[in-house]
């Protein structure tokens, strides 16, 4: 599976692929506040480090040496919980709160450093990649969704029973479904049934 694309399981046990299109929206899939606590996978620094090795950061270069300290895990989870307020607001065309923007801004101090591997001449991340650098990468990604050329493209799935958020990378900017495998396919089936029943 391509880094950044996640395999999700719905309440009925069906598996489907989902690409949120953005590192910050992808981090939201690791759990969250309130009803999202049941999806929590970032119980330990090493669990979140392993999760990041399959994130969209690995599209640029493999993440082979990720080191997250307990305090950095706490900071990453705080940022993730803030995204649960910021991203839905963006999907509705609303501005995030000043406090949430301040938290995003405060997290951007460091990011992973790219370099050219002298042996392979391939792009790599300078080891070790720290939790503080990951926090910076996620915060910068989120800032790009709030302001700049990527703003205005955060969407919530159009299905009545799905609340997944994604960055719309479609050329036309009219992506409606979290995944064509799941919600898009269900909508097509409902539309087909409605047409055949009417006929």
């Amino acid at each position: 599976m391509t880094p950044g694309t996640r395999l999700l399981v719905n309440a009925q046990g069906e598996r489907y692929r989902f690409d949120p299109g953005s590192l910050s929206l992808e981090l939201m899939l690791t759990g969250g506040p309130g009803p999202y606590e049941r999806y929590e996978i970032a119980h330990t620094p090493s669990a979140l480090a392993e999760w990041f090795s399959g994130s969209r950061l690995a599209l640029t270069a493999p993440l082979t040496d990720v080191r997250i300290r307990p305090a950095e895990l706490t900071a990453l989870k705080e940022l993730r919980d803030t995204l649960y307020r910021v991203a839905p607001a963006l999907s509705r065309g609303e501005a995030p709160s000043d406090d949430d923007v301040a938290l995003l801004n405060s997290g951007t101090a460091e990011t992973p450093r790219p370099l050219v591997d002298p042996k392979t001449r391939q792009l790599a991340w300078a080891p070790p990649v720290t939790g503080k650098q990951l926090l910076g990468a996620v915060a910068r990604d989120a800032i790009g969704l709030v302001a700049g050329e990527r703003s205005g493209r955060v969407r919530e799935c159009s299905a009545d029973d799905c609340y997944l958020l994604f960055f719309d990378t479609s050329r036309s900017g009219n992506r409606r479904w979290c995944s064509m495998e799941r919600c898009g396919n269900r909508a097509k089936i409902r539309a087909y049934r409605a047409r055949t029943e009417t006929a």
Side-chain angles (χ1 to χ4, degrees):
M1 199 162 11
T2 306
T5 299
R6 297 295 176 163
L7 185 63
L8 302 183
V9 181
N10 66 16
Q12 293 74 37
E14 300 165 329
R15 296 173 179 268
Y16 61 98
R17 290 183 304 268
F18 172 58
D19 180 359
S22 157
L23 179 63
S24 55
L25 298 177
E26 185 182 355
L27 181 63
M28 293 172 67
L29 301 176
T30 64
Y36 304 104
E37 286 179 16
R38 65 183 173 170
Y39 302 110
E40 186 65 62
I41 63 167
H43 297 290
T44 63
S46 61
L48 190 57
E50 183 180 335
W51 180 89
F52 267 108
S53 68
S55 74
R56 63 191 339 91
L57 277 177
L59 286 169
T60 306
L63 282 164
T64 55
D65 187 6
V66 179
R67 300 179 192 176
I68 300 175
R69 296 186 191 131
E72 294 169 332
L73 173 66
T74 301
L76 280 159
K77 289 168 90 170
E78 180 184 9
L79 175 60
R80 180 194 65 192
D81 292 355
T82 300
L83 293 170
Y84 272 97
R85 295 186 298 273
V86 171
L90 294 175
S91 74
R92 296 186 300 264
E94 301 169 1
S97 75
D98 291 347
D99 289 343
D100 289 341
V101 168
L103 193 135
L104 296 181
N105 288 338
S106 70
T108 62
E110 293 183 34
T111 57
R113 292 183 311 108
L115 52 80
V116 176
D117 184 305
K119 293 177 185 168
T120 65
R121 301 280 191 235
Q122 299 292 315
L123 187 64
W125 295 114
V129 176
T130 67
K132 189 171 185 180
Q133 291 173 328
L134 295 170
L135 179 79
V138 173
R140 285 182 186 217
D141 180 78
I143 285 172
L145 298 178
V146 174
E149 63 185 43
R150 296 186 340 139
S151 66
R153 288 271 188 142
V154 175
R155 308 274 188 264
E156 183 176 9
C157 183
S158 293
D160 294 339
D161 60 347
C162 182
Y163 304 99
L164 287 173
L165 295 156
F166 56 88
F167 174 66
D168 184 357
T169 58
S170 69
R171 185 176 297 222
S172 60
N174 63 359
R175 178 177 161 192
R176 297 182 57 206
W177 313 111
C178 63
S179 168
M180 282 308 294
E181 277 183 57
R182 179 177 183 242
C183 293
N185 190 46
R186 290 187 306 162
K188 283 182 176 181
I189 291 169
R190 280 193 300 271
Y192 173 77
R193 286 181 181 157
R195 283 193 310 272
T196 56
E197 288 171 7
T198 303

